[in-house]
Amino acid sequence: MPVVALIGGQWGDEGKGGTVDLLAKRAHMVIRYSGGNNAGHTVINDLGSFKLHLVPCGIFRPAVVNIIGSGIVLDPIVLLDEMTMLEAAGVSLDNLYISDRAHLIVPYHLQQDQLQESLRGDSKIGTTGRGIGPAYSDKMERTGIRMGDLLHEETLLQRFARVIDHKNRTLRAYGGTDQSLHETYLQFLEYGRRLRDRIVPTHPLIQRALRQDERVLLEGAQGVLLDVDWGTYPYVTSSSPGAAGACQGAGIGPRDLDHVVGIFKAYTTRVGEGPFPTELTNALGLHLRERGVEYGATTGRPRRCGWFDAVAARYAVELNSIDQLIITKLDVLDDLAEVKICTGYRLHDTAISYLPSAVAVLSEVEPVYETVPGWQEPITDCREFAQLPQAARQYLDRIEELLGASIAVISVGPERDQIIERRPIF
Ligand code: IMP
């Protein structure tokens, strides 16, 4: 039975929440593998509308085992709030587990993130301010605190004692305020007490699922263009949201992945700073933002909007062995008389068919567009591919052709059932 990684193919916000919720109905296990509460995954179901930042979106299916994987950086305050909110809505958390290897976000990481951003001035990254970058930096620096440390009082105290002086020196240099070792330790001891039953070695759980041939879904966060290695560096997040990151962050060998499903919006959005070749800074861009309700699920920031960029999308497909596509929010394009797809870039007189690594170059390229007719009719009630207007089908066919992968699912609205399932993923 397949193990499927579902990864964002653009700059995040492609609609991973709703899609995981859909696929989870046939899954045995869902694993969030990277990022932290910089993500905001929206699920709309009978119980209401939920924005999940850390809990995997399989949580609404009681039979599914949900794992917060070792590649995650976890702010326990956010997780506990999210758990309280879910329980109040009647969602069972019996099947929620957290890897003992996942790293903690500590209040000093939030301070550091926000102070560093303000010091960057004009060259700010536009981070979510949730401490993600500093927590991953500490992980690499080997000064991070892990979920498993919460289970051992002495280890926890030793770990904090070892890092907090250094952290305070850094915070002071940035103009921040010191954090008390004692208070931080006691606070995290209490989080450990509340979470202890869920903090487990996830390796045996996941291996058992693989051996028993269960359907495992790896839930991505952010998107390939925000990848620290392959994204629009330095305007990226600090993790690896792609297929390799899925293996690493979940603890699954690459040969155990059966499919990599890339999720793309029918247009493109980006939140935060950084180059965006197909950005529409005109009335059309605003129209997409309003129709698509393009405001950050985590920070509420307005998202920048633009046409579908097939150069960047193909790059994401190639880098991650994406073999199936999910296209979301096709209905947002319903009103348009014509729709454009970027099929190449041009820098002065030179044609460029790949994603350049230098931000200076990517900021300067001119997109080369192909224009296709719009369908100008509502598609929100379509449930079969054949019910879509011909122009919408042509648009999707062209995307398949340009990306070299087939479209399995199309979303035509925010509700759970506003979906066209063209090919099974599980
Ligand atoms: P950070 O992950 O908070 O460090 O932010 C780094 C960059 O990634 C910023 O441009 C953020 O706006 C962007 N980013 C991080 N998480 C998401 C997400 O879930 N969706 C969209 N953009 C994100």
Side-chain angles (χ1 to χ4, degrees):
M1 274 193 221
V3 177
V4 171
L6 177 80
I7 68 173
Q10 295 161 314
W11 279 289
D13 308 320
E14 299 91 352
K16 290 177 286 286
T19 313
V20 172
D21 175 53
L22 170 84
L23 296 178
K25 73 180 171 202
R26 291 192 284 268
H28 296 99
M29 179 178 276
V30 176
I31 310 172
R32 254 282 313 261
Y33 60 80
S34 74
N37 61 308
N38 46 352
H41 292 177
T42 306
V43 176
I44 300 173
N45 59 27
D46 304 342
L47 297 171
S49 174
F50 300 88
K51 280 188 176 59
L52 299 186
H53 301 288
L54 283 164
V55 174
C57 294
I59 200 70
F60 301 100
R61 316 273 180 184
V64 173
V65 173
N66 286 274
I67 295 181
I68 298 178
S70 52
I72 295 283
V73 286
L74 188 154
D75 185 332
I77 306 172
V78 175
L79 178 64
L80 286 164
D81 279 354
E82 200 160 294
M83 287 166 56
T84 306
M85 177 273 291
L86 286 166
E87 275 180 324
V91 180
S92 162
L93 300 179
D94 289 352
N95 274 333
L96 177 65
Y97 299 96
I98 307 163
S99 165
D100 55 0
R101 292 172 184 268
H103 276 249
L104 280 157
I105 294 181
V106 184
Y108 50 68
H109 291 133
L110 275 89
Q111 257 205 77
Q112 201 181 330
D113 193 2
Q114 290 157 15
L115 290 165
Q116 279 173 333
E117 269 293 86
S118 57
L119 288 174
R120 284 183 191 119
D122 285 349
S123 53
K124 71 174 196 283
I125 294 167
T127 73
T128 58
R130 302 301 193 255
I132 306 296
Y136 276 118
S137 301
D138 280 5
K139 171 175 169 172
M140 294 307 175
E141 180 81 10
R142 287 144 296 172
T143 52
I145 318 277
R146 301 195 296 178
M147 289 306 292
D149 296 335
L150 296 181
L151 303 178
H152 306 282
E153 291 185 20
E154 259 177 52
T155 314
L156 185 65
L157 185 57
Q158 276 169 11
R159 297 291 297 158
F160 273 130
R162 210 168 292 161
V163 300
I164 214 142
D165 277 348
H166 172 69
K167 276 289 157 195
N168 282 337
R169 274 198 297 276
T170 309
L171 291 177
R172 259 177 260 141
Y174 289 142
T177 46
D178 276 22
Q179 249 190 268
S180 138
L181 167 63
H182 190 62
E183 275 172 28
T184 311
Y185 166 66
L186 289 181
Q187 192 185 4
F188 276 71
L189 209 55
E190 170 62 12
Y191 299 144
R193 198 189 53 73
R194 292 173 65 188
L195 293 170
R196 70 179 315 119
D197 292 345
R198 304 180 190 279
I199 303 172
V200 295
T202 50
H203 174 73
L205 262 182
I206 296 171
Q207 282 306 309
R208 192 181 325 129
L210 297 181
R211 272 198 307 274
Q212 291 176 352
D213 227 8
E214 293 189 345
R215 284 184 285 263
V216 178
L217 180 62
L218 308 183
E219 174 181 351
Q222 290 80 47
V224 172
L225 303 178
L226 287 170
D227 184 284
V228 69
D229 289 296
W230 298 98
T232 48
Y233 192 90
Y235 299 99
V236 292
T237 190
S238 306
S239 62
S240 306
C247 291
Q248 181 72 2
I252 286 183
R255 287 196 300 120
D256 281 325
L257 272 195
D258 294 285
H259 295 290
V260 182
V261 179
I263 174 158
F264 296 83
K265 234 176 248 186
Y267 47 100
T268 310
T269 62
R270 169 159 212 174
V271 60
E273 309 301 318
F276 178 179
T278 63
E279 181 172 13
L280 292 165
T281 50
N282 54 14
L284 198 49
L286 289 179
H287 169 82
L288 292 177
R289 178 184 293 162
E290 294 315 313
R291 256 215 78 141
V293 199
E294 296 296 354
Y295 293 89
T298 298
T299 57
R301 290 179 291 177
R303 296 181 187 139
R304 301 152 66 191
C305 298
W307 294 120
F308 189 83
D309 184 342
V311 180
R314 171 131 200 145
Y315 170 82
V317 167
E318 289 170 349
L319 275 174
N320 292 283
S321 313
I322 289 173
D323 59 341
Q324 284 183 314
L325 308 173
I326 295 179
I327 304 291
T328 57
K329 293 187 135 178
L330 185 63
D331 56 299
V332 172
L333 306 179
D334 279 359
D335 292 348
L336 305 181
E338 54 183 34
V339 181
K340 292 189 182 184
I341 309 179
C342 168
T343 56
Y345 302 143
R346 186 160 277 287
L347 184 66
H348 311 303
D349 290 333
T350 313
I352 299 181
S353 59
Y354 60 90
L355 201 84
S357 76
V359 160
V361 177
L362 195 59
S363 309
E364 255 200 77
V365 296
E366 287 290 324
V368 177
Y369 286 118
E370 215 172 88
T371 304
V372 296
W375 40 98
Q376 295 189 282
E377 57 177 291
I379 59 166
T380 43
D381 290 333
C382 296
R383 295 292 175 271
E384 304 279 338
F385 189 71
Q387 291 170 345
L388 287 172
Q390 196 198 5
R393 281 183 277 135
Q394 270 170 4
Y395 180 59
L396 296 173
D397 287 347
R398 188 66 184 127
I399 288 178
E400 278 192 332
E401 201 170 47
L402 288 164
L403 270 54
S406 54
I407 297 174
V409 177
I410 301 143
S411 89
V412 291
E415 302 293 331
R416 218 180 204 181
D417 69 332
Q418 287 182 303
I419 285 282
I420 297 174
E421 284 194 78
R422 199 178 174 200
R423 296 187 178 89
I425 288 177
F426 269 139

